[in-house]
Amino acid sequence: SQQGEEDPQALSIQEGENATMNCSYKTSINNLQWYRQNSGRGLVHLILIRSNEREKHSGRLRVTLDTSKKSSSLLITASRAADTASYFCATDEVSNDYKLSFGAGTTVTVRA
Amino acid sequence: NAGVTQTPKFQVLKTGQSMTLQCAQDMNHNSMYWYRQDPGMGLRLIYYSASEGTTDKGEVPNGYNVSRLNKREFSLRLESAAPSQTSVYFCASSEVAYNQPQHFGDGTRLSIL
């Protein structure tokens, strides 16, 4: 079953702007991961945040995790055309034998 | 540095035909996975292999079988294809089953007429 749900479903921004997308989930997790998928390609792992972490950075990416609200956000700063892709959160549910559950994704379009 | 390689990239089948999707990884990973991706939905796990010699059902296993041929290779078989199995299939691998990023192939686009 789909554990994570991303919001918004789609996002269109100007190059140089920041993009923020959110992920909500339903049950206790061990960790949460964010992936990027370019059109016609497989998913690429971006960042993993553990349940005892609140914030993590990787280059222009910033991820937050609020386990009390069962939500996470992914911020991409100073967006570029190459950031145009779909972004998925994946949760590692404690109750699901640690298998990953993916949300439906946020499609981000960065306009030049 | 190939990572995860899937073959074929595209396939069209007729209802009732069978086929095997191949997946190989060169990262010495213990765990491998098969997912399907349908429009507007996230990836759904079909089967996974936590380690060589083991396989387990995921969320949507009906109509599929898998074989973990060795540590590198994990194949997915459709015995009697149905139009509902039209999808994009992704293979992935990770060092171990828990708390690790997964590495994905570029998918097999399968259409069943």
Side-chain angles (χ1 to χ4, degrees), chain A residues 97 99, chain B residues 32-33 45-50 54-58 74:
Chain A
D97 199 24
K99 295 188 286 291
Chain B
M32 298 185 73
Y33 314 84
L45 183 65
I46 305 171
Y47 271 93
Y48 69 105
S49 172
T54 69
T55 60
D56 285 288
K57 295 178 180 179
F74 188 38

Side-chain angles (χ1 to χ4, degrees), chain B residues 21-77:
Chain B
L21 309 185
Q22 307 286 354
C23 174
Q25 52 92 6
D26 62 3
M27 295 170 283
N28 202 35
H29 285 169
N30 290 297
S31 303
M32 298 185 73
Y33 314 84
W34 276 105
Y35 294 92
R36 60 178 289 174
Q37 184 178 36
D38 299 295
M41 301 185 70
L43 274 71
R44 291 183 292 169
L45 183 65
I46 305 171
Y47 271 93
Y48 69 105
S49 172
S51 60
E52 188 178 356
T54 69
T55 60
D56 285 288
K57 295 178 180 179
E59 182 186 350
V60 289
N62 291 345
Y64 305 95
N65 285 301
V66 290
S67 295
R68 184 75 185 265
L69 304 169
N70 48 54
K71 192 172 185 179
R72 291 186 63 247
E73 298 173 289
F74 188 38
S75 63
L76 178 72
R77 183 161 178 83

Side-chain angles (χ1 to χ4, degrees), chain A residues 1 30-31 35 40-42 103, chain B residues 37 42 48 59 99 102 105-106 109:
Chain A
S1 60
N30 193 50
N31 65 61
Y35 288 81
R41 304 298 300 273
Chain B
Q37 184 178 36
Y48 69 105
E59 182 186 350
N99 299 335
Q102 293 185 10
D106 279 338
R109 282 142 188 86

Side-chain angles (χ1 to χ4, degrees), chain A residues 55-75:
Chain A
E55 188 170 312
K56 207 161 182 181
H57 296 255
S58 177
R60 293 184 295 112
L61 305 180
R62 173 180 169 250
V63 169
T64 62
L65 179 64
D66 186 336
T67 53
S68 67
K69 294 182 179 177
K70 292 187 171 57
S71 68
S72 173
S73 68
L74 171 66
L75 168 68

